[in-house]
Amino acid sequence: MFSRVKVSLLLLIFIFLILPGCKHNEDIKIGLSATLTGKHSSLGLAVRDGVQLAVEEINDAGGVKGRKIQMLIKDDENDPEKAIVNDREFIQKGAVAIIGHVTSGMTQAVLPLMNENEMLLISPTVSSNKFSKLDDNLICIHPSSRLEQDKLCDYAFNKLGLGRLTVIYDISNEAFSTDWCDYFTTQFQELGGEIVDRIPFDSSNLNLDYIERAKKILSSNPEGVLIVASAIDTAMICQQLEKQGSDIHIISSGWALGDTLLQHGGPAVEGVILPSFWDKYSRNEAYITFKENFFKRYKRNPGFAESYGYETMMVLHKALLKADKITPISIKNIILKIEEFKGLQGKIKIDSSGDTSREVYLFQVKNNQFKRIDF
Amino acid sequence: MKTSSSIRSALNKSYFLLIAVFILSIGLLVGFMLSRESQENILESNMNLAQSVGNSVNLYLQETENTIKMIRDNLSGKIYSANYNSINDYLASVIENYHQIHKVRIINKNGIVRFVYPYSEAEIGINLKEAPFLKNYAGNGIYWSDSFLSMASGEPALTATLPLDEDYLVVNIDVSKFNQILSEMRNNLHIVIYDSKGTAIASTLQKHVYYRENHSNLEHVKKALAGEQVTSRFISSVQGTEMLGSSLPLNNDWVVMVSKTVNEAYNIVYEMVKLLGITGLLVLLAGYLISCSFSQKVIYPIENLTEWSQEMAAGNYSKKIKTDTFNELKVLTDSFNKMANKIKDREEKLKNQTEELYSSYQQLRAYNEEITAMNNELEKSLRKINILNERFTNMINLVSTLGQPSHLNERDFLSKLLKTAVKIVPEADYGLVCLIEEDNSCRFVDAVGHDISLLKNLRIDKEVVFNTENHGIYKQEGTAFNLERLPEKKRESFLQALKPVHESMFIDITMDSQIFGKIFLDVSKESNKGFTENTKELLNSFASLASAFFSYQRYNKLQEQFTKEFITAIIQILEIYDTYTSGHSENVAKTSARIAEEMGLSEDEVKDAYWAGMVHDIGKLLVPLSVLNKPGVLTDSEFDLIENHPYWGFMALSKSESLSHIARYVLYHHERWDGKGYPERVKGDQIPLIAQILSVADAWDAMTSKRAYRDPLPEDVALDEIIKNKGTQFSPRVVEVFIRMKKNDSLAI
């Protein structure tokens, strides 16, 4: 009797000693590197909120086969060197994937590091054509902007009948904006249109003179202007054009799509046309649920970056569930093998080089809202 | 109850338990009450801390609000009349004193920016009616917007909106100033201020603010956003440790949260518990020592008693122990002393009694030995009787075989006789039996111990081996054979076959005073036994038995010979009578006997088959010659006469004592397997086996013998005929054996 008690005590002690040694329920680490502070932080913060909501939902529902997802969040400060330092730290800490970055510039900077260390980089927002058709360790949840550009170009020339366009673009995100303008220009000229002026500007300059830019746009007397800039810059440029009494057509890139454009543009952004893969008013059931949950969590409505951040985590989650061995390369291969994901607003197709295709829509601001144009 | 436990340890334990239970319960009670009280205190103090932080923030907000109102009052009525320079100067002085204010705008009801400080041409005239700080303004009082990132600084900021005459005054406030307030307060505390959406706008941890983290999912922040004051534990997302946090709403729907790690918060409790634990241990130790000394006092006299009782157990009764202790123990000790005296007296008495008992025991033992000896003798006699009894039984068995001499040939009988003799004669180790042939040579029949397989092949003249004078029964030292008379070659194999012998005894088997053979019994060279007169008598009786057997055997042979000759004579009469069947009976007899032999029947049955064959047609003697030898077709009545001959044969034979058992075979020798024969029309195995054999043998000889009126059939044709009628006329089993027999015959040829 007495010895049995002793034995069971010993067993208990043994079990307690052994238990901490078992690492079955170790968290799955995923890095998130984006610009989270400063003037350009809005996109990164938006993505962060979307990803965070997804992670909270996944962990609340029991995680990945019982393992929780742990987010490692770092601010790349929109600085390529800082971005590399961040990602290297993620790799050292044993992250199985890195979500980011949110701009093409940062992504371009860290890509060699990713390929060298066989780390999976999955970007929610990067859309530059520079990365498409490459067999690298980058998977883009946002499609290449080519589709947007083609659609907008077609609409501007054929539907709006714009023959002369001025292009103004923000070189603070050059990897994106320069490519955007270049391709658009080529397409527009091919159709028979004319680009009468190209005006680069740097939004990171605190003393930026928007009035000067507006005057410059109007100086070449164009029929319309293409603004490739963030929502706030686009709003400011529109405000100045309005002040100048201009009524030329304003078209813009999907970068400007967001509530900020409406809030800061007010009447000045009425009529602005821009393409986007994301529809704020989508009636898709998944999107409506997401929107409700998002509002419950953050007391505001999600934008495209929030949505794409959320979708990115969901794509990763699906791959994690299917993976036998959780390594960056196996996750990447599984994502490429699955090919088609159920997104918030429709199917997301990811091809073998990690590029995504989605349906593209055109929107126009009417009564301070984005209205979809069927074209 | 464990035998190893002592009263001392039991006492120690119970004293100790008493003290321990008492101290522990008091300690636990005190500890519990103290920790409960201090836990409540901790929660309360944390909330107090949060409240004091909240008050400072409220105060600061109030001050900011007052400043904004002051600006509003100062600017009222001046905006469209006074020159901007004086307004700018005024605002510059305000901002210098109130760092949190960094931008002031006047916007008209249509959302057009009319004035901005610091001046920015680009901002003047733009339409901000959709901006949240105007759109969400309810129309009176101050509206605090949610925090946002300032376009200019990238720092979190917010705006305050309030009416100014017909326009709106919008003041931008740098939220980062709150961080300074918090950093002044920090004291190992973690403080966060959230806006009405749960986004961190100030924090002792810069990261919360700069990353614009939204903590509305934390339970206590959520409750505070809904207007409650809460204190609860939560897991920090930053440190990953458990925190104790108090949240409460501020005047403008913001929330302030103060937290510390649980370890830190409950440090006092932990310290207290630690102290209590140590004190408890010390007291327990003291309790243990006290319990030891207590038990020592009780135990000492008991141990004394125990020691004495041990000595008493060892036989020492002379010791006396002192009696100055507890009353109960005193009584016990006195009784012990008395008891020791009594035991001493009794022991002496016992000693005397034991001695007496010992002498009686010795006497009894002597009787017992006598009885045992007698018993052994009795057992010996019983064993002797048993041996004799066994010999007697063996003898009876041997004699009983004489009753059926026809079942035992002479060799088997002699073997059995020899084995029984070796078994019965206790001195004999080996034995040998031989017969004297007609040519006076000696043939060895069987041996016990000696190698009979070698001896069997030795033929030795009896004169050479035995001394002719040595008739009757003899005992001789060494072997009984005259080996010197043997040729050298035979001697060698003889010696090889015979085991070395120390003494031999042999006797003749005689009949009509003629020697038939000899029985030898030998004693092994290694044995020290010898033959006695008793052995001689036994051997003599064996020799008599053998002689009796041979006489009986000869008588039997003579009788058989006589029967055979007599029957042959009768058969010859039959053959004279039935001219066609000359030699037939003997042929059938021989064939039947062969078939019976081939079928593995016993010697008697083979003999019966032979005799049945000889006499099977004897009934024909009663069939008139005219019918028997009629050359033409027979009438029905003539057929009846012929078909009756088995029956007549049966009738005649059943009268003879020695042939009556074969009468049945004769009766049925014309029956068919399928029941279509005569005279009884029995079928299958109702027909006796020997009758079935006779039927085949009869048919075979009828077909293959030369007859006066026809030539014999060739053997293969006859055999085909037999096979054709297998299962109809003939027994299948007999036919199969017959075919096999014939095949073997042809092979032999």
Side-chain angles (χ1 to χ4, degrees):
Chain A
M1 277 293 274
F2 190 64
S3 68
R4 200 177 299 169
V5 173
K6 264 185 186 169
V7 166
S8 34
L9 263 174
L10 274 174
L11 264 177
L12 262 178
I13 291 166
F14 187 67
I15 287 164
F16 279 122
L17 285 175
I18 287 294
L19 270 183
C22 303
K23 286 196 169 180
H24 283 296
N25 287 324
E26 201 184 343
D27 290 349
I28 297 173
K29 291 177 183 153
I30 292 175
L32 169 65
S33 188
T35 309
L36 296 175
T37 55
K39 214 179 154 193
H40 293 281
S41 60
S42 59
L43 192 63
L45 291 172
V47 165
R48 194 270 321 270
D49 285 348
V51 170
Q52 192 168 286
L53 178 65
V55 170
E56 282 169 13
E57 284 178 6
I58 290 164
N59 285 346
D60 283 350
V64 180
K65 296 172 191 163
R67 293 173 69 182
K68 296 258 185 234
I69 290 175
Q70 186 194 342
M71 291 305 301
L72 308 170
I73 301 175
K74 288 250 153 197
D75 177 17
D76 67 20
E77 297 169 24
N78 206 24
D79 173 358
E81 279 175 29
K82 180 74 183 164
I84 291 171
V85 169
N86 283 355
D87 291 359
R88 190 163 279 147
E89 198 180 317
F90 288 154
I91 293 167
Q92 277 164 5
K93 281 188 176 168
V96 296
I98 296 172
I99 297 178
H101 292 242
V102 291
T103 62
S104 303
M106 296 303 107
T107 306
Q108 199 173 0
V110 299
L111 205 49
L113 179 73
M114 295 298 126
N115 291 335
E116 198 179 294
N117 289 285
E118 299 208 312
M119 174 52 68
L120 170 65
L121 185 66
I122 173 160
S123 174
T125 52
V126 159
S127 62
S128 170
N129 221 56
K130 276 189 181 165
F131 306 118
S132 53
K133 305 280 175 283
L134 289 177
D135 181 20
D136 46 27
N137 285 334
L138 172 67
I139 288 175
C140 295
I141 294 303
H142 194 293
S144 150
S145 44
R146 290 285 183 264
L147 293 167
E148 288 182 305
Q149 292 156 338
D150 288 340
K151 190 126 181 169
L152 185 65
C153 190
D154 186 16
Y155 191 80
F157 188 82
N158 293 322
K159 185 77 187 199
L160 298 175
L162 302 180
R164 292 158 53 76
L165 268 184
T166 289
V167 178
I168 180 166
Y169 59 103
D170 179 2
I171 54 164
S172 75
N173 185 10
E174 204 198 344
F176 172 79
S177 59
T178 311
D179 175 73
W180 221 100
C181 293
D182 288 350
Y183 182 78
F184 186 90
T185 302
T186 320
Q187 294 305 107
F188 193 67
Q189 283 166 346
E190 244 172 55
L191 287 176
E194 190 190 345
I195 301 296
V196 292
D197 201 359
R198 276 173 72 106
I199 308 166
F201 73 99
D202 185 357
S203 67
S204 53
N205 177 4
L206 289 178
N207 299 316
L208 178 66
D209 187 348
Y210 289 106
I211 300 173
E212 191 57 37
R213 304 292 149 188
K215 282 180 181 162
K216 181 102 191 337
I217 290 165
L218 297 175
S219 67
S220 48
N221 198 24
E223 289 165 10
V225 61
L226 166 66
I227 307 171
V228 181
S230 69
I232 186 75
D233 290 323
T234 306
M236 287 313 288
I237 291 167
C238 290
Q239 288 274 19
Q240 301 311 322
L241 286 172
E242 176 92 350
K243 249 162 72 180
Q244 298 296 323
S246 147
D247 60 349
I248 59 168
H249 284 285
I250 303 169
I251 57 177
S252 184
S253 72
W255 188 9
L257 188 92
D259 285 348
T260 311
L261 181 71
L262 304 177
Q263 286 167 1
H264 291 265
V269 295
E270 281 294 308
V272 170
I273 290 166
L274 37 81
S276 178
F277 297 100
W278 183 77
D279 178 3
K280 188 183 173 183
Y281 302 102
S282 165
R283 300 303 305 158
N284 193 305
E285 217 171 291
Y287 176 69
I288 290 170
T289 310
F290 162 70
K291 209 159 101 174
E292 280 169 7
N293 290 339
F294 192 89
F295 193 86
K296 224 181 270 171
R297 175 70 177 84
Y298 298 105
K299 313 234 166 17
R300 65 187 167 86
N301 285 321
F304 96 90
E306 286 91 340
S307 306
Y308 281 21
Y310 184 86
E311 281 182 340
T312 304
M313 194 60 232
M314 284 308 175
V315 166
L316 263 177
H317 181 227
K318 194 164 180 190
L320 284 171
L321 282 180
K322 289 210 169 182
D324 298 326
K325 210 176 75 187
I326 298 181
T327 66
I329 295 305
S330 67
I331 296 169
K332 175 191 152 190
N333 291 337
I334 287 171
I335 293 175
L336 299 184
K337 211 173 137 194
I338 297 176
E339 272 180 76
E340 198 173 281
F341 293 86
K342 193 170 164 279
L344 291 173
Q345 298 190 344
K347 286 171 188 166
I348 310 169
K349 283 183 185 165
I350 299 174
D351 69 15
S352 57
S353 47
D355 302 327
T356 304
S357 59
R358 299 172 187 248
E359 202 180 335
V360 66
Y361 312 106
L362 282 180
F363 295 93
Q364 184 164 34
V365 181
K366 277 181 186 166
N367 298 324
N368 213 243
Q369 284 190 344
F370 293 104
K371 289 277 153 66
R372 216 162 99 181
I373 308 168
D374 292 318
F375 175 67
Chain B
M1 192 68 189
K2 266 195 263 176
T3 49
S4 59
S5 69
S6 68
I7 299 181
R8 178 190 279 275
S9 68
L11 265 178
N12 268 348
K13 270 183 206 161
S14 21
Y15 275 128
F16 184 63
L17 269 177
L18 266 174
I19 295 168
V21 167
F22 178 70
I23 291 170
L24 278 181
S25 19
I26 289 193
L28 280 177
L29 200 70
V30 170
F32 179 70
M33 277 162 65
L34 276 177
S35 76
R36 218 176 78 168
E37 204 184 303
S38 44
Q39 277 193 37
E40 272 168 20
N41 282 340
I42 286 161
L43 296 186
E44 208 179 298
S45 78
N46 209 59
M47 180 52 81
N48 286 342
L49 222 62
Q51 272 162 352
S52 80
V53 174
N55 287 339
S56 316
V57 177
N58 274 338
L59 212 71
Y60 186 79
L61 281 171
Q62 192 58 50
E63 189 191 85
T64 311
E65 201 175 311
N66 291 340
T67 312
I68 293 165
K69 280 179 179 160
M70 182 186 80
I71 296 171
R72 195 258 316 265
D73 295 343
N74 272 313
L75 292 184
S76 175
K78 287 180 188 162
I79 194 73
Y80 299 117
S81 54
N83 64 27
Y84 285 128
N85 286 340
S86 69
I87 296 174
N88 284 341
D89 289 346
Y90 167 69
L91 288 176
S93 70
V94 172
I95 287 174
E96 203 175 315
N97 290 325
Y98 301 98
H99 295 293
Q100 70 266 43
I101 294 168
H102 64 90
K103 191 173 180 178
V104 178
R105 278 176 290 187
I106 295 166
I107 301 170
N108 73 12
K109 295 284 179 201
N110 296 325
I112 306 293
V113 177
R114 301 301 305 273
F115 171 85
V116 59
Y117 177 87
Y119 180 73
S120 156
E121 196 197 339
E123 283 194 55
I124 298 292
I126 65 169
N127 191 326
L128 291 178
K129 71 169 187 181
E130 297 293 341
F133 53 80
L134 289 185
K135 214 174 174 184
N136 296 339
Y137 183 61
N140 50 24
I142 287 190
Y143 167 71
W144 297 94
S145 76
D146 286 319
S147 67
F148 57 88
L149 283 176
S150 159
M151 294 312 292
S153 62
E155 300 276 331
L158 56 92
T159 60
T161 310
L162 70 169
L164 169 66
D165 303 335
E166 293 301 302
D167 303 323
Y168 295 113
L169 178 68
V170 179
V171 179
N172 281 30
I173 294 156
D174 185 355
V175 178
S176 63
K177 294 290 179 292
F178 286 118
N179 278 331
Q180 286 172 10
I181 306 176
L182 297 186
S183 65
E184 282 159 20
M185 291 186 207
R186 90 194 303 174
N187 175 22
N188 282 336
L189 287 178
H190 176 48
I191 307 170
V192 191
I193 298 172
Y194 299 102
D195 69 10
S196 60
K197 286 181 174 168
T199 306
I201 53 176
S203 170
T204 45
L205 256 176
Q206 300 280 308
K207 184 174 163 277
H208 288 320
V209 180
Y210 286 102
Y211 287 5
R212 295 186 59 69
E213 286 178 9
N214 188 308
H215 292 169
S216 67
N217 58 331
L218 292 178
E219 202 53 40
H220 55 104
V221 176
K222 198 189 276 176
K223 281 187 178 158
L225 284 170
E228 282 179 57
Q229 292 196 358
V230 221
T231 303
S232 69
R233 290 183 181 205
F234 65 97
I235 306 288
S236 155
S237 61
V238 183
Q239 293 101 325
T241 49
E242 201 178 14
M243 310 282 286
L244 182 73
S246 299
S247 301
L248 73 158
L250 295 174
N251 292 345
N252 57 343
D253 296 340
W254 291 1
V255 163
V256 65
M257 192 270 289
V258 175
S259 66
K260 28 170 116 156
T261 63
V262 167
N263 278 344
E264 217 169 292
Y266 288 95
N267 200 22
I268 290 180
V269 179
Y270 296 150
E271 287 291 326
M272 212 165 65
V273 170
K274 217 196 278 174
L275 201 71
L276 263 176
I278 292 169
T279 319
L281 276 176
L282 285 174
V283 174
L284 282 180
L285 191 71
Y288 178 72
L289 292 174
I290 291 167
S291 71
C292 282
S293 81
F294 258 126
S295 50
Q296 173 68 18
K297 205 175 171 190
V298 179
I299 278 298
Y300 180 71
I302 295 180
E303 270 184 348
N304 252 344
L305 268 175
T306 314
E307 220 173 274
W308 187 43
S309 69
Q310 275 169 348
E311 278 194 40
M312 221 158 88
N316 180 7
Y317 306 102
S318 52
K319 198 178 169 183
K320 293 272 175 216
I321 46 167
K322 286 179 185 171
T323 53
D324 53 341
T325 174
F326 297 104
N327 283 336
E328 291 88 342
L329 288 172
K330 245 183 228 168
V331 174
L332 190 69
T333 316
D334 286 344
S335 317
F336 235 90
N337 283 335
K338 279 180 200 161
M339 208 162 79
N341 284 336
K342 275 191 185 168
I343 290 174
K344 208 173 164 185
D345 292 348
R346 279 191 196 165
E347 203 186 41
E348 261 160 39
K349 261 189 208 168
L350 265 175
K351 222 176 180 177
N352 294 336
Q353 283 174 354
T354 311
E355 270 164 22
E356 267 172 52
L357 269 174
Y358 185 73
S359 61
S360 330
Y361 165 74
Q362 292 288 20
Q363 245 173 320
L364 272 174
R365 223 171 95 165
Y367 286 144
N368 189 35
E369 265 167 27
E370 253 173 77
I371 289 170
T372 312
M374 270 160 77
N375 202 26
N376 280 346
E377 241 166 277
L378 271 174
E379 250 175 50
K380 248 187 228 167
S381 331
L382 182 67
R383 232 176 283 145
K384 259 187 204 165
I385 291 168
N386 274 341
I387 292 168
L388 285 174
N389 190 31
E390 200 188 326
R391 283 186 203 169
F392 188 60
T393 312
N394 275 322
M395 206 70 161
I396 287 171
N397 281 341
L398 189 67
V399 173
S400 71
T401 56
L402 282 173
Q404 320 93 23
S406 58
H407 297 293
L408 205 62
N409 61 36
E410 50 192 43
R411 283 189 203 185
D412 290 344
F413 176 78
L414 287 175
S415 291
K416 213 168 173 182
L417 185 95
L418 177 70
K419 275 167 193 158
T420 311
V422 172
K423 214 191 251 175
I424 288 177
V425 175
E427 301 83 7
D429 296 307
Y430 315 128
L432 197 57
V433 61
C434 67
L435 285 175
I436 312 293
E437 299 283 288
E438 277 165 14
D439 57 359
N440 270 341
S441 71
C442 174
R443 181 162 59 85
F444 294 96
V445 174
D446 203 356
V448 174
H450 306 295
D451 189 346
I452 186 63
S453 58
L454 281 174
L455 290 172
K456 252 182 188 167
N457 298 327
L458 287 173
R459 288 255 165 167
I460 304 156
D461 192 274
K462 69 166 183 179
E463 302 298 330
V464 176
V465 183
F466 312 120
N467 287 330
T468 37
E469 308 93 69
N470 288 351
H471 293 313
I473 186 157
Y474 291 96
K475 195 171 90 172
Q476 185 172 323
E477 275 192 27
T479 183
F481 300 102
N482 291 323
L483 294 176
E484 318 83 69
R485 296 197 201 167
L486 279 174
E488 200 169 321
K489 229 182 189 176
K490 279 192 178 177
R491 193 190 307 158
E492 263 172 39
S493 40
F494 217 89
L495 280 171
Q496 208 179 334
L498 292 174
K499 287 257 173 83
V501 161
H502 146 70
E503 193 176 31
S504 220
M505 183 175 260
F506 50 96
I507 192 165
D508 298 334
I509 304 165
T510 53
M511 195 170 59
D512 299 345
S513 69
Q514 190 190 340
I515 298 169
F516 265 78
K518 276 177 194 276
I519 301 173
F520 301 83
L521 290 179
D522 303 314
V523 180
S524 162
K525 191 137 201 171
E526 278 98 52
S527 173
N528 50 8
K529 289 182 262 182
F531 293 118
T532 58
E533 277 307 301
N534 199 9
T535 320
K536 220 177 212 174
E537 265 171 47
L538 267 174
L539 197 57
N540 224 337
S541 59
F542 277 111
S544 311
L545 257 179
S547 301
F549 175 80
F550 281 107
S551 308
Y552 196 83
Q553 197 86 326
R554 183 192 281 180
Y555 165 74
N556 251 1
K557 268 184 193 159
L558 280 176
Q559 198 186 30
E560 218 169 74
Q561 188 66 28
F562 173 74
T563 313
K564 195 176 171 184
E565 275 168 20
F566 181 72
I567 288 172
T568 313
I570 293 173
I571 297 307
Q572 270 165 359
I573 295 170
L574 174 67
E575 280 172 8
I576 294 163
Y577 185 70
D578 180 359
T579 49
Y580 291 120
T581 59
S582 94
H584 173 67
S585 293
E586 197 164 359
N587 287 343
V588 171
K590 281 177 181 165
T591 310
S592 295
R594 272 202 66 199
I595 295 174
E597 213 169 53
E598 190 78 22
M599 287 179 90
L601 301 187
S602 70
E603 216 173 304
D604 283 350
E605 282 170 314
V606 174
K607 258 183 204 162
D608 286 349
Y610 180 84
W611 287 116
M614 283 300 271
V615 299
H616 74 283
D617 271 346
I618 205 158
K620 282 190 179 170
L621 280 170
L622 292 179
V623 180
L625 259 183
S626 54
V627 177
L628 207 57
N629 293 334
K630 186 177 175 179
V633 182
L634 294 175
T635 66
D636 283 355
S637 57
E638 284 167 345
F639 249 122
D640 285 347
L641 281 174
I642 289 196
E643 280 185 7
N644 267 338
H645 82 267
Y647 182 69
W648 287 323
F650 167 74
M651 289 301 282
L653 290 169
S654 48
K655 297 282 190 297
S656 152
E657 203 181 308
S658 57
L659 293 174
S660 62
H661 65 285
I662 58 172
R664 283 172 67 240
Y665 311 144
V666 174
L667 174 64
Y668 294 121
H669 81 271
H670 273 297
E671 295 292 353
R672 287 168 55 110
W673 187 252
D674 55 9
K676 290 176 180 167
Y678 60 86
E680 300 267 309
R681 298 186 183 275
V682 291
K683 64 176 179 180
D685 277 327
Q686 288 172 324
I687 309 164
L689 182 58
I690 291 174
Q692 292 171 22
I693 294 170
L694 281 182
S695 170
V696 174
D698 189 15
W700 174 258
D701 188 64
M703 287 188 283
T704 55
S705 301
K706 187 177 161 49
R707 288 286 183 271
Y709 51 90
R710 61 151 171 79
D711 285 332
L713 285 174
E715 285 215 341
D716 51 341
V717 179
L719 196 60
D720 283 347
E721 190 66 24
I722 299 269
I723 293 167
K724 210 166 82 188
N725 288 303
K726 170 183 170 189
T728 54
Q729 187 177 349
F730 305 119
S731 152
R733 195 171 134 217
V734 175
V735 171
E736 259 159 44
V737 173
F738 185 71
I739 293 163
R740 196 170 69 215
M741 202 175 89
K742 282 291 155 196
K743 250 184 208 159
N744 289 344
D745 286 353
S746 64
L747 277 176
I749 292 160

